[in-house]
Amino acid sequence: MWQNLKKRLFHWSPNHLPLGILLFAWLWIVLTNTKAGTYFLSWDLMDSSFAPLWMIQRSLFETWQSFQGLGLLGGHGYAAQLPQAIIQLVLSFFIPEMYLRYAFTYLMLLSGITGAYFLTDYILPHKKEMYHTQKIPAIAAGLLYLLHFGTVQNFYVALEPFIAMYGILPWILLQIFVLLK
């Protein structure tokens, strides 16, 4: 069983080339934008990578934030950061604290471009005789989703709910199309 899984995962075929192109472009973005020994901080410094458990507690009890003053209801949308805090809590067992926010941001970037690839590939009609040429629009969609000015703006001012929406939106649209079909 393990040999069959190993063969399927690590066997190269021409079907892996489109995702390899997207992975190479993503890796290029990651390597050019990551600075070793630095923290990746956002404009608001509400970073859950410093204390993921504390951010989970903050997300669960979002309506009353005791650190914001007596009687003040929380209005910053901490509940929207619950999935991100859970993901960073899991990643904190494998990745140093300094790179947790980098990892979450880059995973959402990778999720977004692969989601755009699979969404475009699902929407376009398939003809068996033109298999390799019909992957070109899907690759272009993934690269456009990666290199678009809106993407640069979204990730330049790194706010986690917007970054998570970037990574999840193509997958949600793909699921809607699959359900409607």
Side-chain angles (χ1 to χ4, degrees), residues 10 20 67 75-76 80-81 92 95-96 101 125 145 152 155 163 167 170:
F10 297 109
F67 65 91
H76 289 285
Q81 291 185 324
S92 68
I95 298 173
R101 194 161 188 180
Y145 201 64
V152 174
F155 284 86
I163 290 173

Side-chain angles (χ1 to χ4, degrees), residues 17-70:
L17 186 62
L19 286 176
I21 292 170
L22 293 177
L23 186 65
F24 178 75
W26 172 79
L27 195 60
W28 178 69
I29 296 286
V30 167
L31 292 177
T32 56
N33 288 304
T34 304
K35 295 181 179 155
T38 61
Y39 283 90
F40 178 45
L41 299 176
S42 179
W43 62 277
D44 60 353
L45 297 178
M46 286 185 357
D47 194 2
S48 61
S49 63
F50 295 127
L53 283 174
W54 182 57
M55 188 57 103
I56 290 172
Q57 182 216 359
R58 185 186 279 182
S59 297
L60 290 175
F61 302 106
E62 193 249 339
T63 55
W64 179 264
Q65 299 295 326
S66 61
F67 65 91
Q68 290 184 339
L70 185 61

Side-chain angles (χ1 to χ4, degrees), residues 102-145:
Y102 278 117
F104 177 77
T105 303
Y106 293 145
L107 283 175
M108 288 295 108
L109 189 65
L110 182 63
S111 173
I113 62 173
T114 55
Y117 169 79
F118 285 115
L119 174 65
T120 308
D121 190 45
Y122 181 79
I123 290 173
L124 294 178
H126 293 315
K127 293 181 180 175
K128 213 167 204 176
E129 62 273 0
M130 298 178 59
Y131 178 75
H132 295 292
T133 57
Q134 68 190 15
K135 296 289 182 180
I136 294 172
I139 296 170
L143 289 174
L144 178 68
Y145 201 64

